[in-house]
Structure formats: C-alpha cells, structure tokens
Amino acid sequence: AVTIVEQSGSPLEKVRISGGGRCNVTNVISEAVKLAGHYPRGHKELKGAFFRVFGSEDVREWFESRGVELKVERDGRIFPVTNKSETIIKCLQNEADRNNV
C-alpha cells in the first residue's frame, strides 16, 4: 500500500508552484553531492539513500518513458517542454491511477 501525505489543501500543489509554475524536474548534474549544492532547502534529502538509487538521469528517463518531453536550459535545469507544471502533475496522476494509488 502507498500513502501520500500532502501538507497543502490540494494534491501536488508544491509541484504546481515549483520552478515558477514550470516544474524544474531535475538537473543535468548526475552526482548527488554536486546536485545538492543547487538546492539550498533540500540538499540533505538529495544526499540520502533515494538519490543513490534513483538519480537525475533516472528521473529524466522515467518522465520521458511516460511521454513527457523535457528540455535542458542553459543553467542545466530540466523542465517539461510545455513549460507547465501541469504536464508533470498529469503524468504523476496518471501513473498513480495506473498503479491504483
């Protein structure tokens, strides 16, 4: 069983507002310690066990294998080509529905 705990009133609200509403899904930097330096409020989590197993390239492959086209910006941040966080939200919701979450 999977339980999703959300602090905000609506599911995936943090995703909706991330990256100025565009949802920065990852970065081209694949080494967790280097990547963590770009995330001052979440750097500890990026150095944890999850990121040693599921890294930046894995994130890109996961979304692209589900039909989300991604683009790399000059600073290395990766966004959906639509520039809309809704693209990422729909993908996550579809995957949750597909897996009966």
Side-chain angles (χ1 to χ4, degrees):
V2 174
T3 302
I4 298 174
V5 179
E6 184 81 40
Q7 184 176 353
S8 70
S10 71
L12 299 170
E13 187 58 30
K14 287 288 252 187
V15 172
R16 187 176 319 285
I17 63 172
S18 69
R22 298 188 306 145
C23 192
N24 174 3
V25 295
T26 191
N27 194 292
V28 294
I29 300 169
S30 59
E31 187 179 328
V33 174
K34 287 183 182 178
L35 180 60
H38 293 271
Y39 293 89
R41 291 182 307 236
H43 68 281
K44 290 179 185 175
E45 291 80 0
L46 290 175
K47 293 179 187 175
F50 174 77
F51 225 80
R52 284 192 291 273
V53 176
F54 197 80
S56 178
E57 188 58 37
D58 297 309
V59 172
R60 290 176 75 174
E61 289 175 13
W62 192 90
F63 279 106
E64 288 174 342
S65 72
R66 286 155 179 82
V68 176
E69 292 182 65
L70 301 172
K71 65 177 181 172
V72 178
E73 297 199 342
R74 282 183 282 168
D75 62 1
R77 295 179 301 163
I78 299 174
F79 291 90
V81 296
T82 61
N83 279 325
K84 296 179 181 179
S85 60
E86 195 62 36
T87 301
I88 301 302
I89 290 169
K90 285 180 183 177
C91 176
L92 294 171
Q93 288 175 328
N94 288 342
E95 193 65 13
D97 290 345
R98 192 176 73 75
N99 286 285
N100 299 313
V101 174

